[in-house]
């Protein structure tokens, strides 16, 4: 059995940029198994040398050089990391030169990384949106609900909460969510709490089999998790969406990232920062 190819994400900040771009590239190789290692905040020569030692040890242990995705601004630290026995993909070296040529100016190293606070107004907007989503999770309160950019509706465990939080954290969108309970599904009208905000509603649905699997983990062998319950609730929810002209999407095969972008486009929402 072949050992998985070792992959190192090395960054002078959180490592999220290196991971996101690296994963997008590695996902194109579904026939190869990878083992990931992330090293954030490599911002001194000493830390860089320590990471180089780990990469070299990996190369020696497995007999093949690891892949290193590097997101480091500082030239000195980048040069140290280059000495590692690895196949290097350095995002700043790859793209900065091209941008400098196109913009006809030299890059000036930012004091804050891509995932630092940086612009405090933008950061505050994100945190305010996150707090809004937490305060309006699962229909716990209708206070200030008129300030919501979007209100997600769906049956329990259809993906409302993680999607709301992702919209808030990544885009600064004030997203609330409302869980459809049996009383709501038996009615021909919209739930009282969200009815005044019909234009902000967006529905989430899901395949019954997937919903059953999720609910079974939460409440094993309960009526809540039975396939008939899941099928009935989903059908009633979709009928409600169609009856009231509420746009909706199926979450079964969509990642939270895909869901967020789909909702932004469908609701014509703009990033707040």
């Amino acid at each position: 059995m072949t050992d998985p190819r070792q992959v190192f994400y090395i960054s002078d900040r959180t490592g999220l940029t290196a991971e996101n771009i690296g994963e997008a590239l590695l996902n194109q190789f579904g026939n190869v198994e990878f083992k990931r290692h992330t090293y954030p905040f490599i911002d001194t020569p000493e830390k860089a040398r320590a990471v180089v030692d780990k990469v070299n040890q990996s190369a020696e242990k497995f007999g093949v050089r690891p892949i290193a995705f590097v997101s480091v601004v500082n030239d000195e630290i980048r040069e140290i990391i280059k000495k590692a026995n690895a196949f290097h993909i350095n995002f700043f070296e790859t793209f900065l030169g091209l941008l400098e040529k196109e913009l006809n100016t030299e890059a000036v190293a930012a004091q804050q990384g891509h995932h630092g606070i940086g612009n405090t107004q933008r950061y505050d907007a994100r945190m305010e949106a996150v707090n809004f989503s937490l305060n309006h999770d699962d229909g716990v309160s209708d206070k200030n609900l008129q300030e919501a950019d979007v209100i997600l509706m769906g049956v329990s465990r259809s993906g409302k909460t993680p999607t709301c939080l992702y919209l808030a954290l990544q885009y600064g969108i004030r997203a609330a969510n409302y869980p459809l309970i049996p009383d709501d599904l038996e009615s021909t009208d919209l739930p009282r709490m969200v009815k005044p905000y019909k234009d902000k509603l967006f529905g989430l649905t899901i395949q019954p089999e997937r919903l059953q699997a999720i609910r079974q983990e939460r409440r094993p062998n309960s009526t809540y998790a039975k396939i008939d319950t899941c099928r009935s609730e989903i059908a009633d929810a979709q009928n409600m969406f169609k009856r009231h002209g509420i746009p909706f999407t199926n979450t079964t095969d969509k990642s939270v990232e895909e869901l967020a972008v789909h909702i932004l486009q469908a609701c014509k929402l703009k990033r707040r920062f």
Side-chain angles (χ1 to χ4, degrees), residues 7-11 15 18-19 22-23 26 36-40 69:
V7 177
F8 286 78
Y9 294 113
I10 304 170
S11 173
E19 286 182 336
E23 286 298 299
L26 294 182
R36 282 91 165 162
H37 312 269
T38 300
Y39 290 91
F69 292 105

Side-chain angles (χ1 to χ4, degrees), residues 10-243:
I10 304 170
S11 173
D12 54 4
R13 298 301 300 171
T14 62
L16 292 176
T17 298
E19 286 182 336
N20 288 339
I21 302 177
E23 286 298 299
L25 294 172
L26 294 182
N27 285 341
Q28 309 309 308
F29 301 91
N31 58 331
V32 181
E33 184 180 358
F34 299 102
K35 177 67 180 291
R36 282 91 165 162
H37 312 269
T38 300
Y39 290 91
F41 303 113
I42 305 302
D43 50 10
T44 67
E46 293 74 23
K47 291 179 181 179
R49 294 187 188 98
V51 168
V52 168
D53 288 342
K54 292 183 181 297
V55 174
N56 290 343
Q57 290 168 12
S58 177
E60 183 176 352
K61 177 179 178 180
F62 294 101
V64 60
R65 62 179 181 169
I67 299 169
F69 292 105
V70 183
S71 176
V72 173
V73 175
N74 185 275
D75 291 335
E76 179 186 3
I77 295 174
R78 279 208 309 265
E79 289 302 316
I80 294 172
I81 294 172
K82 277 184 184 178
K83 297 176 182 177
N85 182 16
F87 173 71
H88 294 263
I89 298 179
N90 191 303
F91 299 120
F92 281 96
E93 285 189 349
T94 301
F95 299 116
L96 269 186
L98 296 173
L99 277 171
E100 286 177 333
K101 183 177 179 180
E102 177 64 23
L103 298 173
N104 195 30
T105 186
E106 291 187 1
V108 179
Q111 295 301 309
Q112 291 284 351
H114 176 64
H115 293 281
I117 289 182
N119 185 312
T120 55
Q121 288 184 329
R122 293 180 177 180
Y123 183 80
D124 289 345
R126 286 197 298 163
M127 294 305 100
E128 187 230 341
V130 170
N131 286 328
F132 183 91
S133 292
L134 289 173
N135 291 333
H136 295 83
D137 184 41
D138 272 349
V140 296
S141 172
D142 60 357
K143 183 179 180 182
N144 301 323
L145 197 56
Q146 70 275 9
E147 296 178 8
D149 297 310
V150 64
I151 303 170
L152 302 186
M153 290 176 60
V155 300
S156 173
R157 315 312 291 179
S158 57
K160 301 180 300 299
T161 296
T163 306
C164 281
L165 290 175
Y166 189 88
L167 282 166
L169 187 59
Q170 295 296 324
Y171 298 100
I173 297 298
R174 291 189 292 262
N177 76 74
Y178 182 88
L180 292 171
I181 61 175
D183 286 348
D184 296 325
L185 297 172
E186 292 170 3
S187 172
T188 58
D189 202 359
L190 285 171
R192 178 194 58 79
M193 182 183 289
V194 298
K195 186 175 180 179
Y197 314 108
K198 178 183 174 183
D199 291 344
K200 297 183 178 184
L201 296 178
F202 188 91
L204 299 184
T205 186
I206 188 172
Q207 289 181 357
E209 294 76 15
R210 175 59 179 154
L211 182 61
Q212 182 197 28
I214 296 171
R215 288 183 171 184
Q216 183 67 14
E217 290 184 4
R218 186 174 177 84
R219 298 183 195 170
N221 304 316
S222 63
T223 301
Y224 169 78
K226 286 184 178 179
I227 187 65
D228 288 345
T229 302
C230 296
R231 285 174 177 153
S232 175
E233 288 188 11
I234 291 168
D236 288 343
Q238 290 182 173
N239 286 336
M240 175 185 289
F241 300 152
K242 294 173 182 176
R243 185 185 310 122

